[in-house]
Protein backbone atom coordinates (compact mmCIF):
# COMPACT_ATOMS: atom_id res chain seq x y z
CA UNK A 1 0.00 0.00 0.00
CA UNK A 2 2.79 2.42 0.91
CA UNK A 3 4.56 1.71 -2.38
CA UNK A 4 1.34 2.32 -4.30
CA UNK A 5 0.92 5.69 -2.60
CA UNK A 6 4.49 6.76 -3.34
CA UNK A 7 4.50 5.53 -6.95
CA UNK A 8 0.96 6.91 -7.43
CA UNK A 9 -0.11 3.80 -9.29
CA UNK A 10 -2.13 0.84 -8.18
CA UNK A 11 -0.02 -2.35 -8.21
CA UNK A 12 -1.28 -5.11 -10.48
CA UNK A 13 -0.93 -8.74 -9.45
CA UNK A 14 -0.81 -10.81 -12.62
CA UNK A 15 -0.05 -14.30 -11.39
CA UNK A 16 2.01 -16.40 -13.80
CA UNK A 17 3.01 -14.77 -17.05
CA UNK A 18 4.68 -16.30 -20.12
CA UNK A 19 7.59 -13.84 -19.91
CA UNK A 20 8.71 -11.35 -17.27
CA UNK A 21 10.66 -9.26 -19.77
CA UNK A 22 7.84 -6.84 -20.69
CA UNK A 23 7.13 -6.24 -17.00
CA UNK A 24 10.80 -5.80 -16.14
CA UNK A 25 11.26 -3.41 -19.06
CA UNK A 26 8.51 -1.11 -17.71
CA UNK A 27 9.65 -1.24 -14.08
CA UNK A 28 11.50 1.66 -12.50
CA UNK A 29 12.52 -0.56 -9.58
CA UNK A 30 12.47 -4.37 -9.41
CA UNK A 31 11.71 -5.81 -5.98
CA UNK A 32 12.77 -9.36 -5.15
CA UNK A 33 11.88 -9.99 -1.48
CA UNK A 34 13.11 -13.58 -1.24
CA UNK A 35 13.30 -15.22 2.17
CA UNK A 36 14.59 -18.63 1.10
CA UNK A 37 16.39 -20.24 -1.80
CA UNK A 38 19.90 -20.85 -2.97
CA UNK A 39 22.23 -19.99 -5.80
CA UNK A 40 22.00 -17.11 -8.22
CA UNK A 41 18.46 -15.97 -8.95
CA UNK A 42 17.65 -15.93 -12.68
CA UNK A 43 15.01 -13.20 -12.33
CA UNK A 44 17.51 -10.94 -10.55
CA UNK A 45 20.03 -11.62 -13.34
CA UNK A 46 17.39 -10.65 -15.93
CA UNK A 47 16.61 -7.41 -14.09
CA UNK A 48 20.29 -6.53 -13.73
CA UNK A 49 20.86 -7.31 -17.43
CA UNK A 50 18.14 -4.83 -18.32
CA UNK A 51 19.88 -2.24 -16.14
CA UNK A 52 17.11 -2.10 -13.57
CA UNK A 53 17.45 -0.87 -10.01
CA UNK A 54 16.98 -3.98 -7.88
CA UNK A 55 15.92 -4.11 -4.25
CA UNK A 56 16.27 -7.57 -2.75
CA UNK A 57 17.15 -9.51 0.36
CA UNK A 58 20.48 -11.16 1.14
CA UNK A 59 18.90 -14.40 -0.17
CA UNK A 60 18.08 -12.66 -3.47
CA UNK A 61 21.65 -11.40 -3.71
CA UNK A 62 23.27 -14.80 -3.09
CA UNK A 63 25.73 -15.95 -5.72
CA UNK A 64 26.61 -12.50 -7.06
CA UNK A 65 29.74 -12.03 -4.98
CA UNK A 66 30.91 -8.99 -3.06
CA UNK A 67 29.98 -6.54 -5.84
CA UNK A 68 26.28 -7.32 -5.26
CA UNK A 69 25.99 -4.68 -2.54
CA UNK A 70 27.22 -2.05 -5.01
CA UNK A 71 24.81 -3.05 -7.79
CA UNK A 72 21.59 -3.55 -5.83
CA UNK A 73 19.98 -2.50 -2.58
CA UNK A 74 19.98 -5.39 -0.12
CA UNK A 75 17.62 -5.24 2.86
CA UNK A 76 16.35 -8.16 4.93
CA UNK A 77 13.69 -6.43 7.01
CA UNK A 78 10.36 -5.71 5.29
CA UNK A 79 10.28 -2.06 6.42
CA UNK A 80 13.84 -1.47 5.19
CA UNK A 81 13.05 -3.19 1.87
CA UNK A 82 10.04 -0.90 1.40
CA UNK A 83 12.05 2.18 2.42
CA UNK A 84 14.84 1.34 -0.07
CA UNK A 85 12.24 0.94 -2.82
CA UNK A 86 10.57 4.24 -1.96
CA UNK A 87 13.94 6.00 -1.84
CA UNK A 88 14.81 4.74 -5.34
CA UNK A 89 11.39 5.74 -6.72
CA UNK A 90 11.85 9.27 -5.36
CA UNK A 91 15.57 9.68 -6.20
CA UNK A 92 16.01 9.49 -9.97
CA UNK A 93 19.73 10.30 -9.84
CA UNK A 94 20.39 7.60 -7.23
CA UNK A 95 18.26 5.14 -9.21
CA UNK A 96 20.16 5.90 -12.45
CA UNK A 97 23.49 5.38 -10.66
CA UNK A 98 22.29 2.02 -9.31
CA UNK A 99 21.05 1.05 -12.78
CA UNK A 100 24.50 1.74 -14.27
CA UNK A 101 26.14 -0.42 -11.60
CA UNK A 102 23.54 -3.13 -12.25
CA UNK A 103 24.44 -3.19 -15.95
CA UNK A 104 28.16 -3.43 -15.10
CA UNK A 105 27.55 -6.34 -12.72
CA UNK A 106 25.41 -8.14 -15.30
CA UNK A 107 28.08 -7.65 -17.97
CA UNK A 108 30.66 -9.26 -15.66
CA UNK A 109 28.59 -12.42 -15.22
CA UNK A 110 29.10 -15.46 -17.44
CA UNK A 111 26.61 -16.01 -20.25
CA UNK A 112 24.29 -19.02 -20.09
CA UNK A 113 26.56 -20.74 -22.63
CA UNK A 114 29.69 -20.03 -20.57
CA UNK A 115 27.99 -21.29 -17.42
CA UNK A 116 26.87 -24.47 -19.21
CA UNK A 117 30.41 -25.08 -20.50
CA UNK A 118 31.84 -24.63 -17.00
CA UNK A 119 29.28 -27.05 -15.56
CA UNK A 120 30.01 -29.60 -18.30
CA UNK A 121 33.74 -29.28 -17.54
CA UNK A 122 33.07 -29.97 -13.85
CA UNK A 123 31.13 -33.11 -14.73
CA UNK A 124 33.88 -34.09 -17.16
CA UNK A 125 36.42 -33.84 -14.35
CA UNK A 126 34.29 -36.19 -12.26
CA UNK A 127 34.16 -38.86 -14.95
CA UNK A 128 37.05 -41.27 -14.91
CA UNK A 129 38.15 -43.28 -17.93
CA UNK A 130 38.25 -47.09 -17.53
CA UNK A 131 42.08 -47.04 -17.70
CA UNK A 132 42.22 -44.45 -14.91
CA UNK A 133 39.71 -46.44 -12.86
CA UNK A 134 41.85 -49.61 -13.18
CA UNK A 135 44.85 -47.71 -11.86
CA UNK A 136 43.07 -46.89 -8.61
CA UNK A 137 41.17 -50.20 -8.20
CA UNK A 138 42.82 -52.49 -5.66
CA UNK A 139 43.91 -55.88 -7.00
CA UNK A 140 42.49 -57.76 -4.02
CA UNK A 141 38.73 -58.16 -3.83
CA UNK A 142 37.02 -55.67 -1.58
CA UNK A 143 34.38 -58.13 -0.37
CA UNK A 144 35.17 -59.13 3.20
CA UNK A 145 34.36 -62.66 4.32
CA UNK A 146 31.02 -63.06 5.97
CA UNK A 147 31.22 -63.07 9.74
CA UNK A 148 31.04 -66.48 11.39
CA UNK A 149 28.04 -67.16 13.53
Amino acid sequence: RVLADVAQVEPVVTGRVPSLLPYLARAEVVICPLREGGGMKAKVVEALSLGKAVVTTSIGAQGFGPQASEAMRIEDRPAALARATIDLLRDEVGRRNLEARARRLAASLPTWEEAAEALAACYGDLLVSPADAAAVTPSAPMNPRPARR
Side-chain angles (χ1 to χ4, degrees):
R1 187 80 265 168
V2 172
L3 292 176
D5 292 342
V6 170
Q8 298 179 346
V9 293
E10 193 62 32
V12 177
V13 178
T14 62
R16 293 187 183 270
V17 295
S19 172
L20 275 182
L21 292 179
Y23 297 92
L24 291 174
R26 287 196 315 252
E28 289 185 38
V29 176
V30 175
I31 309 164
C32 185
L34 294 176
R35 291 194 273 173
E36 58 184 54
M40 192 174 285
K41 313 306 178 285
K43 301 306 179 210
V44 174
V45 172
E46 289 177 359
L48 294 171
S49 296
L50 292 171
K52 295 298 175 175
V54 174
V55 179
T56 190
T57 61
S58 56
I59 300 294
Q62 282 179 343
F64 291 96
Q67 66 271 38
S69 63
E70 297 171 12
M72 52 186 120
R73 294 284 303 270
I74 303 169
E75 300 290 350
D76 286 319
R77 292 175 294 119
L81 195 93
R83 173 55 45 205
T85 303
I86 291 167
D87 290 347
L88 287 168
L89 289 170
R90 289 182 172 163
D91 178 11
E92 184 175 352
V93 172
R95 187 174 66 247
R96 298 282 179 231
N97 287 333
L98 191 63
E99 291 168 348
R101 292 191 303 270
R103 280 189 290 279
R104 283 195 297 275
L105 174 59
S108 74
L109 298 173
T111 65
W112 289 114
E113 292 79 16
E114 291 167 340
E117 288 172 10
L119 182 60
C122 286
Y123 280 116
D125 290 345
L126 293 174
L127 298 176
V128 179
S129 72
D132 292 338
V136 296
T137 303
S139 57
M142 292 298 290
N143 298 332
R145 293 184 187 173
R148 291 187 183 174
R149 293 185 184 187

